[in-house]
Amino acid sequence: MADPVQVMGICGTYSPDTANGRMLEIALGYCEELGAETVLWDNSVNTLPFLGEDGCWSHPVVEEYTGLASSSDAFILSSPEYHGTMSGVMKNHLDFLSFDQTTDKAFGLMSTLGGQSNSNTLNHMRIAVRWIHGWAVPEQVSVGNVESAFDDDGNLMDEKLDQRVRDLVASVVKTAEYLRGNR
C-alpha cells in the first residue's frame, strides 16, 4: 500500500483564527477523511520573513517551510481578496516556493471576500502556481460575504458551498496520487 498523500495548507493571513484559516481546517479535515495526512502552516507560530530581506533564504523558518513543502504531495491555498488580488501574506508564501518544491504537485485554491464572490484572487493564485510548475485543479472555491458564511460552530452554512469544498478536496487528493506516481 502506498504512503498516504500529504497535503499542506497555506493560509493567506497571519493567524489561522480567520475565515481563511477556518476554510483550510474544513478542507484539511475532508482530506483526512479521504486518508490523506495534513499539515497547516501556522503563520502566527512560524512567520516567514519578507522575500528579499537580508539572509531570508537561510532563515530557519524559510528552511522549515520549504522542507515541508518539498515533502508534501499537494497544497491547499486559502487567501482573502484584498484590492482585487491575493493577500501579501499569500504572495510572500508563494514567492518562497519554487519548482524544486512544487513541480508536478496538486494545488487547490480557495478565497474569501467581504462582498460578492468573484475569481480574481483564484486566477492570480492559479497564475503563480503555474509559474512554479504546480498543477491547480479545476475545482475552486470562492466564499463571498464571508462574515455570514459560517454558523456558530464554524461550519459553512451553505450546503452547496460545503459540497464544492468536498469536490475540491477530492480532486486535490486524486490528482496528487496520480502526479506522485509520475514523479
Side-chain angles (χ1 to χ4, degrees):
M1 179 178 214
D3 291 332
V5 166
Q6 181 169 316
V7 181
M8 181 177 179
I10 301 175
C11 190
T13 57
Y14 275 114
S15 170
D17 190 25
T18 61
N20 288 281
R22 182 64 192 131
M23 289 300 296
L24 282 170
E25 289 173 354
I26 291 168
L28 295 177
Y30 293 152
C31 287
E32 291 170 0
E33 287 179 11
L34 296 175
E37 293 179 355
T38 64
V39 61
L40 174 61
W41 182 262
D42 189 340
N43 297 309
S44 66
V45 174
N46 293 313
T47 304
L48 291 172
F50 284 113
L51 185 71
E53 286 183 20
D54 286 340
C56 67
W57 287 104
S58 59
H59 193 286
V61 173
V62 172
E63 291 176 353
E64 181 181 352
Y65 175 73
T66 57
L68 185 58
S70 292
S71 66
S72 294
D73 299 299
F75 303 85
I76 297 180
L77 312 178
S78 184
S79 178
E81 182 164 310
Y82 296 145
H83 306 298
T85 192
M86 71 185 95
S87 69
V89 173
M90 179 58 72
K91 181 67 167 85
N92 196 53
H93 277 80
L94 290 171
D95 286 344
F96 273 110
L97 296 176
S98 74
F99 58 86
D100 293 334
Q101 293 90 31
T102 58
T103 295
D104 292 336
K105 293 185 179 180
F107 281 78
L109 309 176
M110 302 187 297
S111 70
T112 62
L113 300 92
Q116 182 177 345
S117 68
N118 68 59
S119 57
N120 288 343
T121 294
L122 300 168
N123 290 335
H124 295 160
M125 289 192 298
R126 186 175 302 281
I127 290 166
V129 165
R130 186 172 58 233
W131 275 91
I132 55 175
H133 301 188
W135 290 87
V137 299
E139 296 79 7
Q140 57 189 18
V141 175
S142 179
V143 182
N145 302 307
V146 72
E147 294 298 322
S148 60
F150 301 95
D151 65 20
D152 291 338
D153 295 323
N155 300 309
L156 287 167
M157 292 179 33
D158 183 334
E159 290 179 22
K160 290 180 181 177
L161 187 58
D162 187 68
Q163 185 60 50
R164 288 181 58 108
V165 175
R166 287 180 181 276
D167 293 344
L168 171 113
V169 164
S171 185
V172 167
V173 171
K174 182 178 179 179
T175 302
E177 290 169 343
Y178 174 78
L179 292 171
R180 184 168 61 179
N182 291 317
R183 284 199 305 265

